[in-house]
Amino acid sequence: MFCYQCSQTVRGVGCTNHGVCGKNDTVTKLQDNLLFALKGISAYNYHVKELGIKDDEVDEFLTKGLYSTLTNVNFDIDNLVGLGLKTGEVNLKVMKMLKEAHIANYGEPTPVEVKVGAQEGPGILVTGHDLKALEELLKQCEGAGVKVYTHSEMLPAHGYPELNKYECLVGQLGGAWIDQKKLFAKYNVAILGTTNCVLPLKKNMLIGYLL
Ligand code: SF4
């Protein structure tokens, strides 16, 4: 096991054989899995809230799940397994809410043709998944002579009528997200990072990042 969650951790580095607090390897793994899942759900729950939808059950579960990993007083494995199973349910609920929020705000997505490659003139490349951030950028770039490109997994944004209506949304510069470093270095455009898949940048690169 490895845990360095609190100040009691062995030699200030980490508990590896067993926890000073009594935590065991199984509890550590269940808590780590729970934390990773809660972080992912929280990210998409944030996007849902940006689009005007809030769900108390989701918020309460996120708080309860996080608290169960912080207190160091309840190492009940059955409880943690139950929270893990509930996490799957809440995850599906949040993704459904996000889909509905996207459609409510930007219309039912339909297939459209998307130009691939850079065009002449100044541009901004948007990476991530945050359609609200893209929308705010499009509003500001429309009529300003700045072209906006989606990157990689932001491609589906073009299918939403209320985003595709902006003339400044001109195309896609993308490929697999793992090619970010090569792609970002290739095009002389500003880059806006909106969510959680941005790789560490090369030394001389700067990226605007919306949290
Ligand atoms: S929570 Fe327990 S296992 Fe983790 S670092 Fe603290 S004492 Fe060690």
Side-chain angles (χ1 to χ4, degrees):
M1 69 175 281
F2 179 79
C3 181
Y4 62 162
Q5 194 183 69
C6 82
S7 57
Q8 298 171 52
T9 195
V10 174
R11 289 190 285 278
V13 177
C15 296
T16 51
N17 291 326
H18 60 271
V20 172
C21 60
K23 187 188 289 189
N24 64 25
D25 184 43
T26 302
V27 170
T28 300
K29 285 175 177 160
L30 286 168
Q31 288 188 337
D32 284 350
N33 284 341
L34 185 59
L35 276 174
F36 277 117
L38 293 175
K39 283 167 70 177
I41 294 171
S42 297
Y44 290 102
N45 192 41
Y46 179 83
H47 290 321
V48 172
K49 287 184 177 177
E50 278 187 316
L51 295 169
I53 295 176
K54 184 177 181 307
D55 186 286
D56 288 342
E57 188 201 11
V58 172
D59 289 346
E60 283 168 20
F61 176 75
L62 290 171
T63 306
K64 181 180 171 186
L66 190 59
Y67 186 74
S68 77
T69 69
L70 292 178
T71 59
N72 291 335
V73 295
N74 184 354
F75 295 151
D76 182 73
I77 287 177
D78 288 342
N79 179 55
L80 287 167
V81 170
L83 284 169
L85 292 172
K86 182 71 181 172
T87 300
E89 279 177 36
V90 175
N91 173 53
L92 291 176
K93 182 174 188 178
V94 170
M95 296 311 291
K96 183 168 181 285
M97 286 163 54
L98 184 60
K99 178 186 174 189
E100 290 169 356
H102 282 158
I103 291 172
N105 281 270
Y106 306 124
E108 187 76 43
T110 54
V112 292
E113 284 188 20
V114 180
K115 285 185 183 167
V116 174
Q119 300 172 33
E120 195 172 332
I124 300 175
L125 177 61
V126 187
T127 186
H129 323 87
D130 190 336
L131 298 189
K132 179 70 177 168
L134 174 65
E135 180 191 23
E136 293 302 319
L137 181 69
L138 291 172
K139 283 182 196 168
Q140 293 170 60
C141 291
E142 192 74 340
V146 178
K147 295 182 170 67
V148 177
Y149 302 89
T150 57
H151 168 247
S152 192
E153 66 266 34
M154 187 67 95
L155 175 65
H158 294 270
Y160 289 93
E162 289 302 310
L163 296 174
N164 201 42
K165 73 181 183 184
Y166 290 95
E167 289 182 7
C168 61
L169 181 62
V170 296
Q172 156 92 184
L173 299 176
W177 66 271
I178 48 176
D179 291 338
Q180 277 175 28
K181 286 184 184 175
K182 267 193 282 180
L183 188 100
F184 290 173
K186 182 176 172 186
Y187 296 107
N188 187 23
V189 294
I191 300 161
L192 176 65
T194 67
T195 37
N196 52 357
C197 293
V198 177
L199 294 172
L201 299 173
K202 290 184 176 175
K203 275 183 187 163
N204 58 349
M205 291 181 71
L206 281 175
I207 185 166
Y209 202 63
L210 266 180
L211 295 172

